[in-house]
Amino acid sequence: MGGPLVIPVRDMLHEIIRRYNEAVYDTDRPRAMKVIDEAVAAGVTPEEVVFSVVIPGLEGMIDSISKKFTHNLAQHFMAAQIAAAVTDAMVARFAVPPASEGRVVIGNAHGDIHSLGKRIVIGCLRALMIDVVDLGVNVAPEDFVDAAVKQEAGVIAISSLMVHTARGPKGPVGVRQLLRAMDLEGRIKIVVGGAAYRFNENLYTIVEADAWAPDGISAGRVILDLLRERKP
Amino acid sequence: MTTGMERLLAAASGRTSDRIPIFVNMSDQGAPTLGLSIEEYFRSGEAVAEAQLAMREKYDYDNLWSLFYVGKEAELLGCKEILFSEYGPPNVLDFILKKPEDIHRLVIPDDIGALPEFAEQKKCLQILKRESAGRWPVCAYLTASMTMPALLMGMERWMDLALNGPFSLRDELLGKLSDFFRRQVRAIREAGADILIYANPFGSTDFVPMKFFEETSVPWMERDVTDTGVADMVYYCGMARLGEALTPVMERLKFPTYYLSPLDDIAAGKKVIGGRGLTAGVINDIELIDWTPEEVRAEVKRMLAAGMPGGKFFFGTGVMPFAIPEANIRAMVEAAKEFGAQG
Ligand code: B12
């Protein structure tokens, strides 16, 4: 049996989660931030905010995108933006600094300047405590590989809006060739995503990537799995 | 011989013809048709018209597609830097709206038809109109006010402004871009287009929540088309799903034609549209790159079986990627002719 103090706290968390999700659902950033501020003021720990409110909120959203078609790009965009901002603020106040889950370099494929999808993915990765280095847009294969080596990243993440920037020789295929030539394939994995892949779920194998994801949050999961696989 | 226009008019009014209309939209493919690079090709309205006529003749589909590339519309508003590729569509490289003052300063030209940046498109439309002589509907693509900022400031910053405000700034921009849309309609109709594609991914609930859609997307769409009318317009969400947006759009905007996404369920879409409009079943032209001709045929068969019952239906593509093999384009058109026969 829970003591008299426990129930109200748990109820409060429940209420916070509900109000936070509602604000995200309405794409209302100021309201979502206010819910979090009030929670912290009322004694919810930064760890609880991240692990019990923000991450489950993102995950719930993805379940409903894939199953019920009730969420949309705007909500996804706001959820990622808010989640990254809240996580950054909270992590700074964690009792014990969290261990990073690993590092990812991310960019738009060569010839591609559409950065929205990448920005959403970055938000989700940061909320999952993954270190992300943003290489920007229109990134050449050599620059992806150089950066991954210098930054000791376990994953190169490449976003392409269009078919030709996904399939072209200077896209993921070019990165694969370099990794192969430098014997880095065991250490560095390639993850791809972006609008083009969502119309052909097999495209990631055609461009020789290790994995793909249809949205930002599943991107987080897929990348986390790859990073953990690499660990001894 | 039955013409594409006759097939379209029959389908629109619920009659049958020899077969359903087949719309194929190719842009970049025109370059190799004429042995030009993509960049050279898009510099000339005559080249685009010539290639469009040649491609229609070669594959024998029903429409003439006049779109160069979507970024052209940004050029009409002052964008000077376009990123060309050897094997894909050109993209806007420089976003002209970099700071709020740029929005205040943005001036929408009165007479789009007289702009030098419109000259090649105008030439292309005029040639297509003349050569078609009413046989093949000439199609033009126009970006809705709500989507246009993606080309002027990038999707990232536009999403921020659209959702987080400042809303007065957002609405100032949308007001200007709605004027732009209306003036472009005038210029494009004058140059000879028969059909206007109203392109608006923000008119899809894949993009925005229903609340935003009803409170913001719909009123701006209404403003776009109130003066122009919608009689020659097709509702298109850039291959995003029409989904739940379909009913409110039909009720409030009353477009005569709806272009589904390949990700929409054709039978379900037709059920919602009912007899109230013409429906395009649209093939997933990204998969068209890797399918075998047999797979293409099976997919077209499936689509037409779902869409043809009850009539008021035609076959369509998105803007076909450059990498689609010729054999698959032929297989697609042949299958659409075979399974779309009504004779
Ligand atoms: C909105 C839209 C537009 C808008 C705005 C484009 C923009 N972003 O600047 C407008 C109308 C202007 C437009 C124009 C064009 N478009 Co467009 N557009 C779309 C549409 C409907 C949505 C794209 C989008 O912005 N989505 C939002 C982002 C956030 O989603 P996303 O990229 O999928 O990212 C998510 C996931 O994929 C994933 N993700 C993204 N990156 C990564 C990376 C990794 C590593 C991982 C794991 C996951 C991941 O997470 C993200 C968040 O969930 C798509 C079709 C569709 N339904 O997807 C076509 C689409 C992308 N467009 C397409 C094309 C071709 C164009 C044009 C080139 C057409 C032309 N010929 O001119 C132009 C280019 C314009 C320009 N910039 O100069 C094609 C691309 C495929 C192809 N044929 O090559 C598409 C797929 C449509 C189609 N089926 O034909 N477009």
Side-chain angles (χ1 to χ4, degrees):
Chain A
M1 239 173 63
L5 261 176
V6 177
I7 293 165
V9 171
R10 203 193 295 138
D11 275 0
M12 185 173 79
L13 201 54
H14 205 79
E15 182 57 15
I16 290 165
I17 293 170
R18 192 187 61 75
R19 284 172 49 218
Y20 173 79
N21 286 346
E22 213 173 76
V24 171
Y25 194 88
D26 289 341
T27 64
D28 188 337
R29 185 171 58 186
R31 180 147 53 95
M33 296 312 246
K34 191 159 162 267
V35 172
I36 299 295
D37 287 345
E38 284 170 7
V40 174
V44 177
T45 66
E47 286 85 347
E48 274 174 322
V49 168
V50 173
F51 294 113
S52 305
V53 181
V54 175
I55 295 180
L58 280 175
E59 287 183 343
M61 178 168 283
I62 235 41
D63 284 346
S64 86
I65 290 180
S66 54
K67 292 192 198 104
K68 289 175 293 180
F69 181 36
T70 51
H71 282 87
N72 47 65
L73 173 68
Q75 287 161 340
H76 197 163
F77 171 71
M78 290 303 280
Q81 213 187 48
I82 296 166
V86 172
T87 305
D88 278 355
M90 293 298 126
V91 166
R93 297 160 62 174
F94 272 22
V96 181
S100 160
E101 289 279 0
R103 185 169 297 151
V104 174
V105 295
I106 190 168
N108 280 94
H110 181 84
D112 208 308
I113 40 150
H114 301 92
S115 55
L116 179 63
K118 186 193 68 182
R119 161 125 178 242
I120 295 175
V121 173
I122 291 176
C124 296
L125 294 180
R126 276 174 36 212
L128 293 171
M129 316 278 167
I130 299 170
D131 251 355
V132 201
V133 181
D134 184 0
L135 306 179
V137 298
N138 192 13
V139 180
E142 309 78 61
D143 296 334
F144 272 115
V145 176
D146 274 359
V149 171
K150 281 205 192 93
Q151 305 277 351
E152 296 180 16
V155 167
I156 294 178
I158 310 171
S159 181
S160 306
L161 189 94
M162 293 166 297
V163 167
H164 74 278
T165 56
R167 301 175 73 113
K170 291 187 182 167
V173 174
V175 176
R176 169 62 68 203
Q177 273 169 1
L178 289 173
L179 290 183
R180 199 173 287 143
M182 296 163 79
D183 201 19
L184 287 170
E185 288 179 292
R187 243 174 64 198
I188 302 176
K189 300 292 173 194
I190 303 176
V191 180
V192 293
Y197 297 93
R198 295 174 49 218
F199 286 84
N200 180 351
E201 300 197 349
N202 193 38
L203 184 54
Y204 84 98
T205 59
I206 297 172
V207 305
E208 299 185 67
D210 293 296
W212 84 290
D215 55 71
I217 302 142
S218 6
R221 274 192 209 155
V222 165
I223 290 173
L224 214 48
D225 285 350
L226 282 175
L227 286 170
R228 285 177 181 162
E229 251 171 53
R230 294 177 55 252
K231 282 188 183 159
Chain B
M1 197 191 72
T2 316
T3 65
M5 188 65 95
E6 287 163 350
R7 293 185 184 111
L8 181 66
L9 292 173
S13 60
R15 288 178 287 115
T16 57
S17 179
D18 59 337
R19 60 166 167 77
I20 60 164
I22 302 170
F23 275 42
V24 178
N25 307 329
M26 288 191 276
S27 289
D28 315 327
Q29 288 85 350
T33 304
L34 301 185
L36 297 173
S37 75
I38 290 181
E39 186 166 358
E40 287 164 343
Y41 171 66
F42 283 128
R43 291 205 195 291
S44 156
E46 276 128 359
V48 174
E50 185 189 339
Q52 288 296 343
L53 290 162
M55 289 191 288
R56 200 218 61 78
E57 185 106 19
K58 172 173 169 184
Y59 295 109
D60 193 25
Y61 49 81
D62 287 323
N63 64 319
L64 287 166
W65 184 241
S66 73
L67 174 72
F68 290 39
Y69 48 88
V70 174
K72 269 257 165 228
E73 285 180 75
E75 291 178 55
L76 296 177
L77 291 177
C79 169
K80 303 257 182 272
E81 287 176 54
I82 297 288
L83 178 65
F84 284 91
S85 159
E86 287 157 48
Y87 38 76
N91 273 251
V92 169
L93 187 56
D94 180 41
F95 295 125
I96 61 165
L97 303 179
K98 296 186 177 67
K99 39 188 195 313
E101 301 82 79
D102 296 336
I103 294 180
H104 303 318
R105 264 190 244 125
L106 179 69
V107 177
I108 307 302
D110 276 331
D111 186 358
I112 305 275
L115 294 177
E117 292 79 7
F118 189 71
E120 296 306 316
Q121 230 175 316
K122 186 166 165 179
K123 242 185 261 168
C124 171
L125 281 165
Q126 287 169 340
I127 298 170
L128 292 177
K129 179 75 177 173
R130 188 184 69 222
E131 296 298 315
S132 156
R135 292 171 299 165
W136 317 109
V138 176
C139 304
Y141 174 108
L142 288 95
T143 304
S145 57
M146 178 64 79
T147 295
M148 193 60 206
L151 292 166
L152 304 180
M153 59 199 297
M155 271 290 268
E156 221 178 299
R157 285 182 39 239
W158 171 229
M159 275 306 243
D160 246 332
L161 180 59
L163 299 173
N164 297 327
F167 297 120
S168 59
L169 189 65
R170 173 190 76 188
D171 293 345
E172 180 184 342
L173 177 60
L174 288 172
K176 291 182 179 184
L177 295 178
S178 185
D179 290 345
F180 175 60
F181 177 84
R182 300 200 256 188
R183 291 174 198 172
Q184 241 204 127
V185 167
R186 202 192 316 141
I188 282 185
R189 280 182 181 155
E190 270 167 19
D194 301 304
I195 292 181
L196 310 187
I197 317 294
Y198 182 81
N200 194 13
F202 282 82
S204 158
T205 43
D206 270 359
F207 257 67
V208 292
M210 196 40 111
K211 186 163 173 272
F212 183 96
F213 180 78
E214 287 187 325
E215 288 171 5
T216 311
S217 298
V218 171
W220 282 107
M221 290 197 269
E222 284 172 336
R223 188 178 187 280
D224 287 351
V225 300
T226 306
D227 291 346
T228 63
V230 294
D232 50 1
M233 288 193 197
V234 177
Y235 190 66
Y236 169 70
C237 295
M239 303 292 255
R241 292 181 294 186
L242 272 48
E244 290 171 6
L246 201 46
T247 304
V249 171
M250 294 198 55
E251 280 165 7
R252 292 186 48 189
L253 288 130
K254 302 189 168 58
F255 286 96
T257 305
Y258 297 86
Y259 218 77
L260 296 178
S261 159
L263 307 177
D264 276 310
D265 179 320
I266 293 179
K270 266 211 73 174
K271 207 161 148 197
V272 175
I273 295 164
R276 290 180 288 174
L278 183 60
T279 307
V282 178
I283 196 163
N284 185 337
D285 48 27
I286 294 184
E287 296 222 82
L288 212 44
I289 301 171
D290 296 302
W291 278 329
T292 63
E294 293 71 37
E295 285 170 324
V296 173
R297 188 178 144 83
E299 174 61 6
V300 174
K301 184 177 178 190
R302 182 197 69 77
M303 290 170 60
L304 297 197
M308 282 176 65
K312 288 207 162 197
F313 182 75
F314 69 111
F315 176 88
T317 71
V319 182
M320 302 258 283
F322 191 57
I324 300 172
E326 230 183 89
N328 283 1
I329 303 176
R330 287 194 194 279
M332 176 183 82
V333 176
E334 286 317 310
K337 281 183 184 167
E338 180 184 340
F339 299 114
Q342 294 172 314

